[in-house]
């Protein structure tokens, strides 16, 4: 697989790759080459996270070239040196406290490395017995880890589980097994890459997989959990940070953040006869689809957020929401913030003309739609249908289209209450670099309009205007569009400096705030009221009908204290 395909972007992205490469190269050099100004001491350790019994390399200067000529302590415990040169010691990690320093003593000289070493408890292979993970230990997933039928994986609040990049680690809960993750807002459970700060990347590991279950009473619990830098996948298959192939009990998969996945953030591909219930899910910086609902599962979800980082887009799709399930997908209070450069103020060196035509230095060329219903199964190549019932939501800063009804079947059924998609009480944004009307725009950045048919004549015919169609009339009657434009360097001379934030969401949209986005809409925002829950599609008791705001946030930021928007800089120990 081409490990760089996530980052095929121009200028700014290329500089990002170059900087990352240089960072990696200099780190490697520090670990393997003695500092010429140093007479004795440790210059690097590889890796800095390992399990008891693993062999690590301690790089330095002035060691004795014999295994018994150097004494090494890891986290205060003696460690065996199994091979030695004057610059490299091969050391077996002992059983020791989970975090501490590495010290080498050679005769009367001693050196302690400035970075802490993390000792992990390694989980690998098939687990035939139940396991209880606690925050007193640091854990490492190595390779494909499977919880076998009849077992329960329990993870206590505050536990940290790292995943090994070298083996593209994964955690699979097999049919008949159960996962119970009871994090809290103050002590979330964290799954992240085992790579050091500054060297973590989307797709470092595979992710968490809940396999299809023959039981109709799944009791999985995933609550207050962060999943970072997962989503590794081959070039012929999609990936996801959290892949759910079974039904879920209402309210038990909630408060989960998937950050910088190399594939989808959340993907539900459960079979016919199952139902997935989801609340408070946050897809942050994911290269693939933020939310992907496929298979044959009925889905009911509320309070979902997708916040794109324009640098990243996956070859298997980079939409905010993809719906291809054969059963209805009902979502209310969804907020999607797409990668549009003008809306996000993420444009570098813009051209000097009035229309914004395919030019955005930060935007990855694979950037997708806000909401995508139907389309093609990228793995099988087969056309897919889908039914989405979307209410009380915000679709902002889209690129290819705000809403895409992909395929003649999806298009023809739109607005049919019996079996077609319906979108109501929702807000969509556009910029002034498009044709000056409200819901239909025929030039970039909304290349497929706010509301559009796609591939209606054949599988590759592309976007088509919805003007003067019954579908557009239905959509326009119960939704609104407003301006979101935070960059205005090249508009028409009549209004060259105007910026617009008609929904009061600039503090979430601004790309400069991606490491500290403010979720709550501005005071007096239209989104703080106007939610309607009277439609029959919202009758399920799982849906909280007491909230009156549109989108995922009202006056309370439910991400506070447990979500992390700087995972690249967070030390885990």
């Amino acid at each position: 697989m081409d490990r760089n395909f996530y980052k095929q972007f121009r200028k700014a992205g290329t500089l990002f790759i170059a900087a990352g490469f240089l960072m990696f190269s200099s780190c490697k050099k520090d670990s393997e080459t003695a500092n010429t100004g140093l007479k004795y001491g440790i210059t690097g350790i590889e890796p800095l996270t390992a399990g008891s019994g693993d062999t690590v390399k301690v790089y330095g200067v002035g060691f004795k070239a014999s295994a018994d000529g150097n004494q090494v302590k890891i986290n205060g415990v003696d460690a065996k040196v199994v091979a030695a040169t004057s610059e490299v010691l091969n050391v077996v990690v002992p059983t020791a406290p989970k975090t501490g320093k590495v010290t080498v003593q050679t005769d009367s000289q001693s050196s302690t490395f400035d970075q802490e070493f993390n000792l992990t408890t390694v989980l690998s292979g098939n687990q035939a017995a139940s396991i209880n993970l606690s925050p007193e230990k640091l854990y490492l997933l190595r390779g494909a880890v499977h919880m076998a039928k009849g077992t329960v994986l329990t993870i206590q609040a505050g536990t940290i589980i790292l995943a090994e990049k070298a083996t593209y680690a994964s955690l699979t809960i097999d049919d008949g097994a159960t996962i119970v993750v009871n994090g809290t807002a103050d002590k979330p459970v964290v799954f992240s890459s085992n790579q050091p700060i500054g060297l973590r990347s989307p797709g470092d590991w595979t992710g968490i997989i809940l396999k299809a279950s023959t039981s109709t009473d799944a009791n999985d619990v995933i609550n207050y959990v962060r999943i970072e830098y997962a989503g590794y996948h081959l070039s012929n298959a999609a990936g996801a940070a959290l892949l759910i192939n079974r039904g879920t009990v209402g309210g038990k998969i909630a408060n989960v953040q998937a950050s910088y996945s190399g594939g989808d953030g959340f993907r539900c591909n459960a079979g016919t006869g199952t139902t997935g219930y989801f609340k408070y899910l946050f897809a942050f910086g994911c290269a693939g689809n933020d939310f992907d609902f496929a298979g044959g599962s009925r889905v009911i979800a509320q309070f979902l957020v997708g916040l794109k980082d324009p640098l990243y887009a996956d070859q298997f799709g980079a939409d905010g929401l993809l719906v291809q399930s054969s059963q209805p997908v009902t979502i209310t209070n969804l907020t999607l913030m797409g990668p549009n450069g003008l809306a996000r103020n993420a444009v570098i060196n813009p051209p000097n003309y009035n229309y914004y035509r395919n030019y955005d230095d930060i935007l990855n060329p694979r950037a997708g739609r806000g909401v995508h219903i139907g389309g093609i199964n990228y793995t099988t190549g087969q056309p897919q249908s889908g039914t989405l019932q979307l209410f009380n939501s915000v679709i902002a800063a889209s690129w290819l289209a705000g809403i895409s009804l992909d395929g003649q079947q999806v298009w023809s059924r739109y607005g049919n209450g019996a079996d077609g998609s319906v979108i109501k009480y929702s807000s969509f944004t556009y910029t002034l670099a498009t044709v000056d009307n409200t819901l239909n725009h025929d030039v970039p950045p909304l290349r497929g309009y706010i509301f559009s048919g796609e591939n209606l004549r054949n599988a590759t015919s592309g976007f088509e205007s919805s003007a003067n169609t019954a579908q557009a009339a239905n959509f326009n009657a119960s939704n609104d569009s407003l301006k979101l434009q935070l960059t205005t360097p090249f508009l028409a001379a009549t209004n060259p400096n105007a910026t617009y934030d008609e929904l009061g969401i600039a503090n979430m949209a601004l790309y400069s705030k991606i490491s500290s986005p403010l979720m709550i809409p501005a005071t007096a925002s239209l989104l703080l009221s106007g939610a309607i829950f009277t439609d029959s599609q919202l009758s399920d008791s799982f849906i909280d009908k007491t909230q009156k705001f549109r989108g995922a946030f009202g006056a309370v930021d439910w991400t506070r204290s447990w979500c992390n928007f700087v995972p690249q800089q967070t030390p885990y120990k």
Side-chain angles (χ1 to χ4, degrees):
M1 187 188 92
D2 179 1
R3 297 285 293 138
N4 289 322
F5 81 87
Y6 304 118
K7 302 180 182 177
Q8 294 181 359
F9 44 84
R10 297 161 292 178
K11 294 184 181 177
T14 303
L15 291 174
F16 182 88
I17 292 175
F21 176 76
L22 290 173
M23 185 192 311
F24 176 81
S25 299
S26 55
C27 177
K28 194 81 168 176
K29 184 177 180 181
D30 287 346
S31 298
E32 295 182 354
T33 303
N35 185 331
T36 56
L38 187 67
K39 300 287 182 150
Y40 178 84
I42 302 172
T43 60
I45 299 172
E46 188 177 32
L48 274 169
T49 297
S52 178
D54 290 345
T55 299
V56 300
K57 293 182 181 296
V58 178
Y59 299 97
V61 186
F63 302 147
K64 281 194 172 181
S66 60
D68 59 357
N70 310 274
Q71 294 180 324
V72 178
K73 289 184 182 291
I74 295 180
N75 302 357
V77 178
D78 289 333
K80 183 178 181 180
V81 180
V82 294
T85 70
S86 63
E87 296 181 352
V88 184
L89 304 179
N90 288 352
V91 182
V92 177
V93 178
T95 300
K98 70 177 184 178
T99 302
K101 300 288 189 178
V102 175
T103 299
V104 176
Q105 182 167 345
T106 307
D107 295 333
S108 61
Q109 301 183 95
S110 179
S111 175
T112 299
F113 193 52
D114 57 355
Q115 297 184 50
E116 289 192 323
F117 180 85
N118 290 322
L119 179 66
T120 61
T121 298
V122 177
L123 302 176
S124 63
N126 294 323
Q127 304 294 316
S130 295
I131 302 174
N132 191 323
L133 307 186
S134 68
E136 286 73 32
K137 294 182 178 180
L138 182 66
Y139 298 90
L140 179 71
L141 300 176
R142 174 169 291 162
V145 180
H146 283 259
M147 296 302 300
K149 183 176 182 178
T151 65
V152 178
L153 173 60
T154 302
I155 305 178
Q156 298 177 27
T159 302
I160 297 172
I161 303 99
L162 303 180
E164 190 173 63
K165 177 178 178 178
T167 58
Y168 300 122
S170 62
L171 173 61
T172 300
I173 312 302
D174 287 338
D175 179 16
T178 303
I179 183 171
V180 179
V181 186
N182 283 310
T184 65
D186 293 333
K187 296 180 179 179
V189 170
V190 179
F191 291 84
S192 193
S193 168
N194 74 328
Q195 295 301 289
I197 287 173
L199 295 180
R200 299 163 187 163
S201 298
D204 274 352
W205 62 292
T206 302
I208 301 172
I209 303 162
L210 307 186
K211 291 191 72 173
S213 176
T214 55
S215 171
T216 58
D217 186 24
N219 289 307
D220 301 301
V221 177
I222 302 178
N223 194 27
Y224 287 108
V225 175
R226 300 202 307 258
I227 308 170
E228 301 168 353
Y229 298 105
Y232 168 78
H233 58 86
L234 299 175
S235 60
N236 62 347
L242 178 58
L243 174 58
I244 303 169
N245 288 335
R246 60 175 71 168
T248 64
V249 176
K252 292 191 175 183
I253 295 186
N255 301 296
V256 183
Q257 182 187 29
S259 297
Y260 286 101
S261 170
D264 297 340
F266 301 88
R267 188 166 196 258
C268 179
N269 194 35
T272 302
T274 63
T275 301
Y277 294 92
F278 309 104
K279 267 184 183 174
Y280 301 111
L281 305 185
F282 201 126
F284 175 57
C286 295
N289 306 303
D290 293 330
F291 303 96
D292 183 346
F293 297 114
S297 181
R298 175 86 170 93
V299 172
I300 300 174
Q302 188 175 22
F303 309 126
L304 309 185
V305 184
L307 176 56
K308 287 292 188 190
D309 185 328
L311 291 175
Y312 299 93
D314 185 24
Q315 64 178 349
F316 288 103
D319 301 320
L321 169 64
L322 175 64
V323 175
Q324 295 182 332
S325 178
S326 62
Q327 299 299 311
V329 172
T330 302
I331 300 175
T332 184
N333 299 100
L334 165 71
T335 293
L336 295 177
M337 185 64 68
N340 183 298
L342 286 181
R344 303 284 302 277
N345 196 11
V347 178
I348 297 176
N349 300 321
N352 186 24
Y353 50 82
N354 291 341
Y355 287 106
Y356 178 70
R357 300 183 184 276
N358 294 328
Y359 198 102
D360 183 341
D361 285 341
I362 284 182
L363 184 76
N364 188 300
R366 290 178 171 138
R369 309 150 189 80
V371 174
H372 189 185
I373 310 171
I376 300 295
N377 183 307
Y378 290 101
T379 301
T380 65
Q382 297 300 309
Q384 303 291 301
S385 185
T387 299
L388 172 64
Q389 300 164 346
L390 180 66
F391 300 88
N392 304 312
S393 294
V394 180
I395 314 300
S398 299
W399 176 246
L400 288 182
I403 300 286
S404 166
L405 306 182
D406 194 340
Q408 183 58 234
Q409 185 179 28
V410 175
W411 175 257
S412 63
R413 295 191 310 171
Y414 181 81
N416 183 335
D419 62 357
S421 294
V422 59
I423 300 169
K424 300 176 74 174
Y425 323 131
S426 297
S427 295
F428 298 79
T429 71
Y430 67 97
T431 73
L432 292 184
T434 59
V435 171
D436 188 16
N437 59 47
T438 55
L439 293 178
N440 296 307
H441 304 285
D442 60 4
V443 296
L446 282 174
R447 289 185 287 183
Y449 315 89
I450 279 182
F451 178 82
S452 176
E454 185 177 359
N455 302 321
L456 302 185
R457 289 168 288 168
N458 57 62
T460 59
S461 60
F463 293 107
E464 300 187 20
S465 172
S466 62
N468 302 316
T469 65
Q471 288 85 348
N474 182 296
F475 177 82
N476 293 347
S478 52
N479 300 285
D480 56 57
S481 68
L482 299 103
K483 303 183 193 76
L484 176 63
Q485 182 163 294
L486 305 179
T487 303
T488 59
F490 50 92
L491 292 179
T494 55
N495 200 9
N497 299 310
T499 58
Y500 298 90
D501 177 25
E502 294 183 343
L503 286 176
I505 54 176
N507 286 326
M508 182 182 183
L510 279 168
Y511 188 59
S512 61
K513 292 182 177 289
I514 195 165
S515 62
S516 56
L518 301 180
M519 305 302 173
I520 298 174
T523 303
S525 168
L526 299 176
L527 300 178
L528 294 176
S529 62
I532 298 174
F533 294 94
T534 55
D535 292 72
S536 60
Q537 294 94 334
L538 299 177
S539 61
D540 195 284
S541 61
F542 176 71
I543 295 173
D544 179 359
K545 304 176 184 63
T546 64
Q547 305 296 338
K548 298 305 178 185
F549 56 85
R550 290 180 291 147
F553 299 98
V556 176
D557 179 2
W558 47 263
T559 70
R560 181 172 294 181
S561 80
W562 68 274
C563 281
N564 182 10
F565 300 102
V566 285
Q568 186 65 259
Q569 303 302 320
T570 304
Y572 291 120
K573 57 187 180 179

